[in-house]
Amino acid sequence: MAFHYPNGRKYVPAEKSTLEKSKRKNPSYGKRGMTLEDDINDSNQYYLDRGIAVIHKKPTPVQIVQVDYPARSAAVIKEAYFKQASTTDYNGIYKGKYIDFEAKETKNTTSFPFNNFHLHQIEHMRNIIKQRGICFVILRFSTTDELFLLEAKELLVFWERMENGGRKSMTKDEVREKGHRIILGFQPRIDYIKILDNIYQLDSST
Amino acid sequence: MAFHYPNGRKYVPAEKSTLEKSKRKNPSYGKRGMTLEDDINDSNQYYLDRGIAVIHKKPTPVQIVQVDYPARSAAVIKEAYFKQASTTDYNGIYKGKYIDFEAKETKNTTSFPFNNFHLHQIEHMRNIIKQRGICFVILRFSTTDELFLLEAKELLVFWERMENGGRKSMTKDEVREKGHRIILGFQPRIDYIKILDNIYQLDSST
């Protein structure tokens, strides 16, 4: 679909290959047509369209260094760097409740390593719990395409075990025991709201 | 403060002049040492440090087109464009409540024009209200440095007046009448949480 913006600048589609490369820290992304992020974004759009919940992915944080302003065209960012996010990637509201989560995946088949998580994301989750928000992670074992929703309070137990010298991961059995399996659907693909309804009995609170 | 990241790449500070230029659609920014955005970010940091609230500005949405990966250096974004935000700029949680707001300023002394607002931001506010979130705007009359907090439900009344053929702005008197004056302080600079406590009687709900 080639078109031009009214301002005369060419429409430049996001080049899939370039964008995927930018995710090379997470090499399991981009091996399917749809990424975990795509699936979650689609699910959020589904919730939004039906007035179920308002949850958005935060934009990727970028440190902008140089911007050009070509005549009669949109500003072009010519130099910028990826910054580490200081929060989780997704937040929003559902039935009056603040919702906050992060999505991570691993190729590992027997455990979920913590090197996927950043300390400030963990700190952020602690802060959200203190403020009585609903905070969790969506974990994907990409090899088997298994998804789990794990509440942040459970994740923190495993994280603190690591801080106290324990293993640098959660075993898959632990995730299975403490987490909630998400069965991939069609619409929405990842129906995490249904799981929140079950955990927090939100379904009847309207 | 010159330093290098552990990965060997030079620390590149955001050049004030370049960043300010990127806000040229909002020419009243950058005329002081501190911008409205700086003041709000500082206030959010104040709330965060003291465990009062967890509210963050969302990163500027950028469409990334080309990324270079120099050997042994951080990825460099070589071509990207500013995208229009699909939500408001700030959101988070305070005492279990979902908080969502946008900050806007005008050089106008007698009214606040609506050309500062985008339709999808207004739609987003409507969605947040439906989900029972706390949604508002912080309005700054930059010439006199007067700030007001105006609840989204009040803003929508004026917006709908415009949609029905009325004026394309709110008068300052209307903002004064329906809004809540924010007196600039030292710490935090913009104590909007105090105003929310008054409006929603959140202070005693803990």
Side-chain angles (χ1 to χ4, degrees), chain A residues 22 52 77 80 91 95-96 131, chain B residues 14 52 69 77 80 91 95-96 131:
Chain A
S22 77
I52 296 169
I77 298 163
N91 77 354
K95 289 185 178 165
Q131 289 288 333
Chain B
I52 296 168
Y69 297 94
I77 299 163
N91 77 353
K95 288 185 177 164
Q131 289 288 334

Side-chain angles (χ1 to χ4, degrees), chain A residues 27-45:
Chain A
S28 53
Y29 268 126
K31 290 287 161 65
R32 302 178 298 155
M34 291 278 280
T35 64
L36 176 60
E37 185 181 316
D38 287 337
D39 278 347
I40 293 174
N41 288 344
D42 280 6
S43 304
N44 289 342
Q45 190 63 47

Side-chain angles (χ1 to χ4, degrees), chain A residues 26-110:
Chain A
N26 229 341
S28 53
Y29 268 126
K31 290 287 161 65
R32 302 178 298 155
M34 291 278 280
T35 64
L36 176 60
E37 185 181 316
D38 287 337
D39 278 347
I40 293 174
N41 288 344
D42 280 6
S43 304
N44 289 342
Q45 190 63 47
Y46 174 93
Y47 295 140
L48 185 66
D49 291 344
R50 282 151 191 82
I52 296 169
V54 183
I55 293 158
H56 289 276
K57 182 178 184 297
K58 294 189 181 183
T60 304
V62 158
Q63 176 74 59
I64 297 163
V65 176
Q66 197 206 327
V67 184
D68 276 10
Y69 296 92
R72 283 175 308 188
S73 301
V76 189
I77 298 163
K78 299 298 281 183
E79 186 186 355
Y81 298 91
F82 293 104
K83 282 197 296 185
Q84 218 171 51
S86 50
T87 66
T88 48
D89 269 359
Y90 302 87
N91 77 354
I93 183 169
Y94 170 57
K95 289 185 178 165
K97 297 283 180 193
Y98 176 84
I99 306 290
D100 193 299
F101 67 98
E102 183 65 36
K104 301 281 190 193
E105 55 187 328
T106 183
K107 281 176 159 175
N108 207 313
T109 53
T110 54

